[in-house]
Amino acid sequence: MSPTPPARRMRLGLPRRAFSQVLLMQVAIAAGVAVLVTGLFLEPLSRQLDHEAMQRALAIAQTTAEDPQIARDLETTAPTVGGPVQRAAERIRKATRAEYIVVLDWRGVRWSHTDVRQIGRTVSTDPSEALAGREVMEIDSGTLGRSARGKVPLRASDGTLVGAVSVGIAYDGVRARLLSAIPGLLAYAGGALAVGALAAWLISRRVQRQTRDLAFSDISGLLSEREAMLHGIREGVVALDRGGRIRLLNDEAHRLLGIDDTVVGTPPDEALGAGRTADILAGRVTGTDLLTVRGQRVLVANRMPTDDGGAVATLRDRTELEQLGRELDSTRGLIDALRAQDHEHANRMHTLLGLLELEMFDDAVEFVGEVVGDHRATAEQVTEKIQDPLLAALLVGKATVAAERGVALWVSDRTRLPDRLVDPRGLVTIVGNLVDNALDAVAATPHARVEVELRAEGRTAVLRVRDTGPGIPAAQHELIFTEGWSTKEPPAHRERGIGLSLVRRLAERQGGSATVGDAPGGGAEFTVVLPEALTDAAPDPVLTARAGLPLEEESR
């Protein structure tokens, strides 16, 4: 036989689901409020009923004490069962339905009572207040049990205090009135509790839909996982509410966008400034894997709407990948140039071999000199005008690539750039992008030519790149500097539309500008102005030394 499964133990406690917990708590709160309100209502009701009973007893006592005949009979007769005071008191008691009316003299002896055996005896409660001329209202216990009492002094016609009148209202009647009010009060409380329970159920159903019937522990776990995921992933995450305001940024978004938590609650235009990045976050630019530039970073952005009317945007850093792509383009161009040079070199070697075999030694020497001289002239032309080694090397390499593509790359005669650049790598990026775009623009055109002009004006560097291509329409002079905009097909390894945007960003970062216009004779002319791009000129050490010598030594 199989072993008997252990009996399940009943587990008492709160249910796990958020819906059930909220419903239970709200019903408990509604019930507690109903009980509290009922208790708070019954307490003043009980006091009010007591006060009304005491007021009624006092009024009956005052009315009885106002009868002058009772005061005269108290002075002229004895306290007997059939005496005039007893008859008058019983008549008033029956008419007012009081529990008792006791008339007592100044010694506290009863002259009337419901229980005739008490006539002639001293009262069981202290009558001193009433016999002192003061009116009294109270709830007290006597020979007839607990009652609401009213006591007033009894005076003769001349105002002399001769006794007191005590009237009692049965307290059971007051309690009966209170108890009779409780069912109606409980009915109202029950109705309020039912309405509260229904409202709690409706609210809990809404909570159930919004929490997708999760337990509070599950929600807490999801929040912890959300925090860990947001701050652990290497992608920027920006959440926006239905009003288009930023409500959440993770650590990577802070780094990529260069902003902090002070921008939470503001729209993207205010937090980031006008530009393509703000347009993408705000949803004015749609699409997938949208390219944008923020500072010196190339970002890929995607925006996804949420059910509550907001949106979540993700940002990936493509800066290094973009740089690798450009290096790959340069490498491919260099490989193509090397292949072409290898082919050209083979032709030249065959020509040289033929001249030598024909024993045309002078012609061979002249041929070799022309080939070597052309390359040397190009390098000397560049290094003479551009003294920064990085820029000079870049332009020499670009000239070689241009020649293999059938494009003449010239360095303008007006070019003069000393080796005093503050940020040579930034200028290399700008020149490289503009020359590459110019070579692409004039490719496959007759008499293709690209001219580069670089000169220093004080501490300002001015760059101009002209080409003989088709030019750029005036309507697109600003559009071409927008991230992601390009007229060329993108290569397989990266996106287009980044180079000119980076050029403008680098120029504006240094307080300069990047513009485009029409070149003389057709084509496009890009102009980049970089203030404070050069350091101050270093003093000539020879002149400095001479300036420090005495005049007689300088004249020797």
Side-chain angles (χ1 to χ4, degrees), residues 265-277:
T266 61
D269 291 332
E270 182 178 342
L272 305 176
R276 180 175 172 85
T277 305

Side-chain angles (χ1 to χ4, degrees), residues 359-373:
E359 298 182 356
M360 301 173 64
F361 302 115
D362 293 336
D363 292 335
V365 171
E366 182 179 358
F367 177 74
V368 172
E370 288 178 357
V371 172
V372 174

Side-chain angles (χ1 to χ4, degrees), residues 118-184:
Q118 302 296 331
I119 297 175
R121 296 181 181 180
T122 304
V123 294
S124 58
T125 57
D126 184 15
S128 58
E129 291 287 330
L131 294 177
R134 291 185 290 271
E135 295 181 348
V136 178
M137 290 191 309
E138 60 184 358
I139 303 292
D140 203 356
S141 298
T143 57
L144 297 178
R146 192 170 181 80
S147 60
R149 300 181 178 185
K151 299 178 182 180
V152 298
L154 179 62
R155 299 180 185 275
S157 57
D158 59 356
T160 304
L161 184 65
V162 295
V165 177
S166 176
V167 177
I169 303 297
Y171 196 73
D172 291 340
V174 177
R175 183 177 300 170
R177 290 181 60 193
L178 178 62
L179 293 177
S180 65
I182 291 178

Side-chain angles (χ1 to χ4, degrees), residues 239 245-249 254 259-267 271:
R245 295 178 295 271
I246 297 174
R247 64 181 177 187
L248 175 68
L249 300 101
H254 288 303
I259 55 180
D260 53 27
D261 285 330
T262 57
V263 303
V264 174
T266 61

Side-chain angles (χ1 to χ4, degrees), residues 522-540:
E525 178 180 281
F526 287 85
T527 302
V528 178
V529 179
L530 302 174
E532 307 296 327
L534 292 91
T535 60
D536 292 327
D540 190 329

Side-chain angles (χ1 to χ4, degrees), residues 330-379:
S330 301
T331 303
R332 287 181 173 178
L334 181 60
I335 291 174
D336 292 339
L338 290 175
R339 286 174 179 171
Q341 285 184 351
D342 179 64
H343 185 267
E344 183 66 19
H345 179 70
N347 291 334
R348 289 169 180 171
M349 292 301 295
H350 292 157
T351 302
L352 179 60
L353 178 62
L355 291 174
L356 293 176
E357 288 180 351
L358 294 174
E359 298 182 356
M360 301 173 64
F361 302 115
D362 293 336
D363 292 335
V365 171
E366 182 179 358
F367 177 74
V368 172
E370 288 178 357
V371 172
V372 174
D374 289 341
H375 288 282
R376 182 182 297 120
T378 300

